[in-house]
Amino acid sequence: MPLEPDAPAQDADHDTDHEVVEITYDEQRYPARPQRLRARAQLRGGPGASRRIADPRAADGSNPAYVQWLVGQSMLADADVLSRQLSGQPAMWRNPYARPDARRALATASVWFTAYPISLITRPGESFLASLGSDELWRAFQDIGIDAVHTGPVKRAGGLTGWNETPSVDGHFDRISTHIDPLFGTEEEFRAVCEVAERHGGSVIDDIVPGHTGKGADFRLAEMAYREYPGIYHMVEIPEEDWHLLPEVPAGADAVNLDARAEHELAEHGYIIGALQRVIFYAPGVKETNWSATAPVTGVDGKVRRWVYLHYFKQGQPSINWLDPTFAGMRLVIGDALHSLGDLGSSALRLDANGFLGVEKSAEGLPAWSEGHPLSHAANHVIAGTVRKVGGFTFQELNLTMEDIRDTGRVGADLSYDFVNRPAYHHALATGDTEFLRLTLRTSLETGVEPVSLVHALQNHDELTYELVHWATLHSQDTYPFRGRETTGAELAETVRADLLAHLTGEAADYNHVFTTNGIACTTASVIAATQGLRTLDDVDDEHVEGIRRAHLLLAMFNAWQPGVFALSGWDLTGTLPVPAGQVRDLIEGGDTRWVHRGAHDLMDVAPEAAASASGMPRGRALYGSLPEQLTSETSFVAGLRGVLSVRAKHGIAAATQIDVPPVAHPGMLVMVHRLDDGDPTRTDAPVQVTVLNFTGETIEGTVRSDALEPRHAVVDAATGGEIGWVDDLRSFGVWLGPYAGLFLVLTAPGEQDAAVHGQTLGRPEGS
């Protein structure tokens, strides 16, 4: 399968906003998982359900054989089989499920490796999943302190045209089947990954996509008006007498996007709800609205129909309708989730594109309500509750306002991806000033988004997002203190974006590329290289690797030394730089520059001569080397990371409570104060922990002060077990830090110093 340009799954606020108006949405008058399921024959539609079938018969609703073949491929049909197998089973009542529980999820897995299937270099002839199921790999993960792997989407995706499959248009987030895509391996290999992970004290995290599917069997059956299948989607049949309102579909295409005029006319005729709050992936002449019209389709009743359907993302991703009377969309999504948990053996699921599950017509002349809708909250509650009911947990990638993240998280997913602080810590590194980062951390606490509920990550397969939705939308007119004056949220977002562009792209670094309006295509190593004045890839010599490694460990400390999940990728573990744009020219020519930061990497040095992954992704330059190579060196990035994660695990910071982000004595310093209480505020014996970080390349010193510090307590460095000072009566103490250094400090009362901290090593750079 050739590589296809894809799109971010849910950090995806890739959009063009409508004119900002005051919108009102007031009412208008118009314990253990069940045993794995093994009844696979029922899910496969018999021997005829192959990936590609050459059949001369008609591929439309007039051919019963074609219709039944589609049913055999259908996710909804699979879901019905799965639900019957679980109904009435006692295992469905053994686990609490009503409320999200971040700390329960963290007890399962708190340090995640986030894989990207097409970028992992494997042995010749070995699949991605087989490679991920290697005992050697999991021994390395266990040694480092990684206890979970997020596989990324590995089920079949894309679409069906006639009898044939078409490639994914969205990095396998346009799912069309419960089958594992042979490009990545087999179901048995997926189960083997879960079993190997369990032997090494780890877990496997899979994906579901509750917001949309691809144009697979379910959508083709919906177009044919087959049974309840139209109810899966937000699709409306347009009577033939009004086909003149629809655009013509070009030859060779199955649908065409509506322009704003057609969208408005169809809304005026009462067929659709019209414009939504945003047009995600806006592109003139390609996607001008969130609605598309199909070509004429012959139904199972012989009638020819044209439909208009909603797609928040690309045209090949029809949106799921969560409030159709058939509840067909809900059944499809829940079936996919239960398949991953109950059959394949995963422990958790990412909920992708889960913030757009409800749409409703708004006041006349205003965009429809499509974000922060109560139906989204209700649907997420159903999904996450079902997953908890069978013993798993969920996390969401929801790049919306902090209020949306908070409100959805209160009833839905157990954890949320940290879009709150991710652009802010990059900004701190780029500018050497943590002011904006301190603002995001404090605002998050004030809003009710506690860090324990977040997945704090280094790089993943998407861009360094800088949409700053919280500041640019709901709080655009609110004012905040920044750089010595009051500034609006909109101005703040604009300033931060401008800073990131100036420091990380263009003349500053020609290897980091702007990605539409959403962010910057880069790796963590290339962000650091840009901040250290390296303008081209050729400028990055061996002599610069140590400086990049130090800053990389600093960012690991920031993400790991606070409550919540810490996640990192293969690009982080190997220190991979972006691939030159010319090597992925065909992939980025349409504007998706993110392909430059998805270079292939060989974690275990299994194919040292390979120039690309099995999927064809060019190999990126790895500054740090493979895991086996790094694990033999005391000065490697992985050795330093192992020390960071050892301290994290020993002191239980993942389940702690953040209580203060105080002012700092130096602009490049960041201080976070936590109670090591496992979330129990009644614990009187919980130690206070202080994370102190230096986001600059110079040695700094200053005073740490917080009302949360107890006077006359000893300040103990967890790396050495030695006291570095005492908290004075002003509730402060002094520190100094080397370039890009960090301190994990624990306060102890006189005579109560924890001897267990002695002998711990952090692998930090000298001078930290």
Side-chain angles (χ1 to χ4, degrees), residues 31-109:
R33 297 197 299 273
Q35 292 184 349
R36 294 179 184 172
L37 312 174
R38 295 297 184 187
R40 307 308 301 154
Q42 299 179 69
L43 294 182
R44 296 300 175 239
S50 62
R51 184 173 175 83
R52 187 175 293 273
I53 290 185
D55 193 303
R57 296 172 300 174
D60 59 35
S62 67
N63 183 356
Y66 179 65
V67 172
Q68 289 308 306
W69 179 77
L70 289 176
V71 172
Q73 307 293 307
S74 158
M75 296 177 70
L76 181 58
D78 287 1
D80 288 342
V81 173
L82 286 158
S83 62
R84 288 194 297 271
Q85 292 182 40
L86 286 172
S87 293
Q89 298 301 309
M92 292 297 293
W93 300 101
R94 293 175 182 163
N95 298 295
Y97 63 88
R99 295 182 179 88
D101 190 341
R103 289 182 172 87
R104 172 183 164 275
L106 288 163
T108 301

Side-chain angles (χ1 to χ4, degrees), residues 114 422 457-462 522-524 568-569 571-572 597:
T114 56
R422 191 164 182 255
L458 293 174
Q459 184 187 351
N460 66 13
H461 70 282
D462 279 329
C522 55
T523 68
T524 306
L568 76 168
S569 66
W571 300 292
D572 290 304
H597 70 234

